[in-house]
Structure formats: C-alpha cells, structure tokens
Amino acid sequence: MNTHDANSIALEEIDVSRPQLYQHDTWQPWFARLRRDAPIHYRADSINGPFWSISSHDLIKEVDTNNTVFSSSSEFGGIAIADTPKIEGQVQGESFITMDEPSHRPQRMAVAPTVAPKNLVELEPIIRERAADILDNLPVGKTFNWVQEVSIELTARMLATLFDFPYEERQKLVRWSDLATAIPEVTGDDSIDMQARYEELMGAAAAFYQLWMAKAGQPPTFDLISMLQHNETTARMNENADQFLGNILLLIVGGNDTTRNSISGGVIALNKFPEEYQKLRDNLSLIPNMVSEMVRWQTPVIHMRRTALEDYKLGGKQIKKGDKVVMWYLSGNRDETVFENADKLIIDRANARAHLSFGFGVHRCMGNRLAELQLRVLWEEIMQRFHRVEVVGDIERLPNNFIRGIKNIPVRLHPN
Ligand code: HEM
C-alpha cells in the first residue's frame, strides 16, 4: 500500500499497527488521514485483534490522564497493542508500568530517586566523560554505523552505571533489552523462538539476582539495585520472580531503546534539515530546546495502549468496557493544530516541550530528565568536535510498532 492508498482507502480498512509502516517509515500519510477524518478510529480486526486508535494530541492527553477509566494493568493486557503473551508455568515480567493505582505509585516512588535532580547532577560528569571517550575514538575518515558505535554504546554505558552492572559485560544489557520487546505481534517476525527468548531472559533475571545478592546488607549506594533494596516497598522484590524480572527489564528497556533511538533520530533529523544544523552551529545555546524537539520529532515510543475499565464517550465515539485503546504518540506529535509544520525539525520551536513522547499522567516517563541530560551532554560534546555528522547511505529501520527502532545509519565525520 502506498501514500495514495492512505487517502483513498475506506477508513475501516486502515491498520496503523502494521510493523512495516515503521520499518519503511511510511506511517505519515496514514496518521495524517486518521487525524483529519477519524482521530478516534476503530479497526475491527488485525494481528493484534480489534483496537481503537487515538491519533490527535488533545484526545491522547485525555486518555493518558484518565487512569481510572483507562487501565495500564497487565491483568487486562498491559501497555502495548500486542497483549503480553501469558505462557503457563513461565515467569511473567511484572513491573509498575503495567500496574494501576494504588499498586503503581509506591513502586515508582521507590526507584524514582535514582533519576531525581540530585542524582543527575552527580551523573552529569560521568556521562560527559563516557560520551567524550566514545566520540574521541570514532574512526574519522571512514564510514561507520552511528547506531552501533554511538547510540548503543552510550546508552549501554549509562545503564551499566545506573545498575552498577559489570562494565565489561554491558552489551548484555542491550541484548536483554532488545529481547524484551521482541515478540512477533510487535515486530511482525514470526521466526522468533519464544522458548529461547524466555531462557535468555531468565539468564538476565539470574544475573540480576546475583547482583542483588552481592549488594544485600551493604550500605546504600546511588544505583538502582541498592535503592530498591533500601526501600520498604521493594526491599523484598527478589522474592517475587515476576516483579523482580519485570522491574529490572522495565528499567533496562525504559532507558535503552528510547534514548538510543533519540540519539540516532537526532542525526537523521539534522541531516534532513541542514538549515537547522546550521542554526545549531551558529547558536549552541539552542541545544536544550533542540533535545526536546528531537525527542518530539523522533518519538521513540510509538504508542502506549490502555484497556477501558468502563464504557466511556471519547470525542463523540462510544468506547466499551474491555476495549483496547491505543494512543499513537507518534501521530500526536505530528498534530498540526499544536505543532506548526509538524513534520519538520525546528530546533528553536517554542513549544517543543509540549510533545507527547514521554506520555502524560501518572505513568509519565520516570527517566525523562535523565534522557534529556544524556542527549544534551552528547550534543554538546559532538559540537565541540565535529562540524558535521554526515549521513552517507541508506538508513535501516526495524519492523516494530512499539519502539521506533533504527538499526543502521552509515555516517562520516567532518571534524571542526
Ligand atoms: C527519550 C527517551 C525516553 C522516552 C521517549 C521514554 C518514553 C516513555 C513513555 C512513553 C513512558 C510511558 C508513559 C505513559 O504511559 O504515560 C515511559 C515510562 C517510563 N520510563 Fe521512559 N522514556 C525514555 C527514557 C527513559 C529512561 C532513560 C529511563 C530510565 C530509567 C526511563 C524509565 C521509565 C520508567 C521506569 C517508566 C515507567 C513509569 C511509570 O509507569 O510510572 N525512560 N517512558
């Protein structure tokens, strides 16, 4: 199907959950049509079953802030359009992102201090040192994959720091994060061996369990495991396998794919809009605003899903108890009624921070300040060294309707 189809096809035939739309980066006309003709849209059948699509900025906010009607709970299928597969006898990762109140809040509060401003101040020099080290060792004069060498590497180093995970084994964190979102309904890839995936994730649980035991009884330190251990609500988390695996994976996935793809998306965006790149060279104080704009433009988490706990009238449509409701952040961030010239990266956009990429309401991204910090420091360090990070080949993206994943960006560096 092509752009022409997006405008002529019957509304009920539109299915924005097809992973290929994101792999080929052809989602724009489909969401433009939905925003225009059906900002609340019902698709009766899909690989993910029937679902409502919410595509405008205001309606997404309405759903995201009403967590008494719209549940995130894993009991009803969780937060992704693909229900989390439940397999008898297997440990199911369970974390506070898939919990409603009153369970959600105390667990969130337990880990939130790791990414609170005070801790971020301490983290900034470490992030800067690690970013500088990566950038100083890049192969100037050669073509290389920015995603592998910078985006993945920097986020892996960050995660290892946050968890106090053995630094030399940090690539394992990346692997586990990738695995956590690798289910066929999300990626469209039927060849995933779910048993092997499960076994590897159990390996992750075992590694973290070991880390937990090694830190047990030690004085508190500023890493996630220690914080979980010294908080009343989560001190015995290791005794509940579902919760243990779930919360660890949440923090790995939360901090990994998202930041990684923001770093990658930023390079793509600046190459696509060279006048914005020039604006940046002329005025480096735009970096903090540019970071928000990059997070808007990229929208690393494509959607979040909710389940209606009661009948609810949304924008004139009747949503029924039990219905699956999908908030397409990617579309809300392209809503022209909020963002003028929304498809364009505008690094000094006045309302860049009005983006939906971190969600809204009680589940709003816990790590948003950390993500912004990493991006700001990285771009400050990039601009110290390179006049241009030039995209010199085809960009490869992942077939995934949940994480807007970028696999390969061939680049060449032009030093200052
Ligand atoms: C640009 C980077 C990031 C993006 C776009 C992003 C996006 C999101 C989104 C969309 C949500 C769900 C919001 C909702 O349901 O309303 C979320 C939740 C969450 N994020 Fe992030 N995230 C990013 C970085 C991070 C980082 C670095 C961490 C590190 C610790 C993190 C940890 C979390 C956690 C723990 C939650 C669950 C919050 C809750 O349920 O209360 N995120 N994030």
Side-chain angles (χ1 to χ4, degrees):
M1 283 193 254
N2 55 35
T3 306
H4 174 72
D5 294 324
N7 283 312
S8 58
I9 195 171
L11 272 174
E12 60 273 18
E13 285 181 39
I14 294 180
D15 178 4
V16 283
S17 75
R18 288 178 294 132
Q20 294 73 22
L21 287 182
Y22 309 100
Q23 180 179 20
H24 303 132
D25 206 32
T26 51
W27 48 271
Q28 293 87 343
W30 299 93
F31 281 117
R33 171 91 190 278
L34 288 189
R35 285 193 304 274
R36 191 188 69 209
D37 295 341
I40 308 170
H41 169 261
Y42 190 68
R43 169 81 197 188
D45 70 289
S46 79
I47 181 176
N48 302 291
F51 66 96
W52 290 97
S53 279
I54 316 300
S55 54
S56 67
H57 193 275
D58 56 341
L59 292 172
I60 290 172
K61 270 171 85 170
E62 182 171 341
V63 172
D64 220 352
T65 45
N66 188 342
N67 68 311
T68 48
V69 172
F70 297 107
S71 165
S72 297
S73 173
S74 52
E75 208 184 311
F76 311 111
I79 51 158
I81 189 170
D83 291 336
T84 315
K86 286 203 166 71
I87 304 167
E88 204 57 41
Q90 288 194 351
V91 172
Q92 304 293 319
E94 179 164 304
S95 67
F96 59 88
I97 201 171
T98 51
M99 286 178 192
D100 294 333
E101 304 309 345
S103 318
H104 160 262
R105 196 179 136 80
Q107 296 217 9
R108 175 175 168 126
M109 289 297 131
V111 280
T114 31
V115 285
K118 180 177 171 291
N119 213 18
L120 293 189
V121 170
E122 299 196 27
L123 273 178
E124 179 164 344
I126 304 174
I127 297 179
R128 194 173 295 282
E129 187 193 306
R130 293 187 166 174
D133 179 57
I134 293 173
L135 297 174
D136 286 338
N137 287 297
L138 291 175
V140 175
K142 294 207 172 97
T143 299
F144 67 92
N145 179 2
W146 179 265
V147 177
Q148 193 61 45
E149 304 302 326
V150 181
S151 314
I152 293 182
E153 188 52 36
L154 184 65
T155 33
R157 288 181 186 202
M158 234 15 274
L159 283 176
T161 310
L162 277 181
F163 280 105
D164 198 13
F165 191 81
Y167 192 59
E168 56 298 344
E169 290 179 34
R170 61 190 180 275
Q171 285 307 327
K172 284 188 180 167
L173 298 172
V174 176
R175 168 78 187 151
W176 293 330
S177 170
D178 289 346
L179 267 182
T181 56
I183 50 176
E185 291 83 352
V186 171
T187 60
D189 177 3
D190 287 332
S191 69
I192 296 166
D193 179 340
M194 292 299 276
Q195 184 58 31
R197 170 182 177 271
Y198 178 71
E199 280 159 21
E200 254 193 274
L201 289 179
M202 285 302 105
F208 276 102
Y209 194 74
Q210 251 180 2
L211 202 60
W212 182 284
M213 294 320 282
K215 282 181 177 285
Q218 305 286 325
T221 44
F222 266 103
D223 58 84
L224 278 161
I225 300 283
S226 177
M227 284 197 170
L228 291 167
Q229 287 178 338
H230 288 89
N231 186 289
E232 222 182 289
T233 329
T234 47
R236 295 168 65 145
M237 202 179 81
N238 59 316
E239 292 171 13
N240 178 335
D242 279 326
Q243 238 182 55
F244 188 66
L245 181 63
N247 278 322
I248 298 288
L249 283 182
L250 168 62
L251 294 162
I252 301 180
V253 176
N256 185 45
D257 283 355
T258 51
T259 315
R260 175 203 303 181
N261 288 306
S262 306
I263 296 173
S264 305
V267 167
I268 297 174
L270 286 176
N271 274 265
K272 205 168 152 104
F273 304 105
E275 69 286 6
E276 296 297 311
Y277 213 153
Q278 190 52 44
K279 216 190 259 176
L280 170 63
R281 283 182 206 107
D282 294 341
N283 184 0
L284 295 181
S285 73
L286 290 175
I287 290 176
N289 199 73
M290 175 184 81
V291 162
S292 293
E293 174 66 351
M294 282 174 170
V295 172
R296 178 195 74 85
W297 191 84
Q298 172 62 18
T299 317
V301 178
I302 297 174
H303 77 262
M304 279 277 153
R305 167 262 180 99
R306 301 289 186 255
T307 306
L309 296 181
E310 52 191 75
D311 291 0
Y312 186 84
K313 201 121 193 188
L314 181 69
K317 301 266 180 182
Q318 186 61 58
I319 292 179
K320 286 258 190 298
K321 180 178 175 179
D323 283 356
K324 196 185 273 195
V325 178
V326 182
M327 302 175 286
W328 294 99
Y329 294 144
L330 186 58
S331 175
N333 281 341
R334 291 295 196 277
D335 190 332
E336 290 281 346
T337 64
V338 178
F339 304 107
E340 206 177 309
N341 214 347
D343 280 331
K344 189 170 190 282
L345 179 94
I346 301 175
I347 66 168
D348 51 354
R349 187 187 284 284
N351 68 345
R353 292 191 68 84
H355 69 69
L356 298 170
S357 300
F358 292 129
F360 260 86
V362 294
H363 288 281
R364 182 175 162 81
C365 177
M366 195 190 83
N368 71 87
R369 295 283 172 190
L370 171 63
E372 288 174 351
L373 171 65
Q374 288 185 70
L375 291 165
R376 172 175 62 76
V377 168
L378 177 67
W379 279 103
E380 284 167 1
E381 295 300 315
I382 291 174
M383 295 310 290
Q384 294 279 322
R385 292 166 176 76
F386 305 115
H387 176 77
R388 186 171 180 200
V389 181
E390 185 190 8
V391 177
V392 291
D394 292 339
I395 292 157
E396 255 181 274
R397 294 169 188 276
L398 295 168
N400 191 318
N401 65 25
F402 188 60
I403 295 289
R404 191 156 175 236
I406 303 162
K407 196 173 163 191
N408 187 6
I409 313 176
V411 297
R412 270 176 103 88
L413 298 173
H414 301 267
N416 278 334

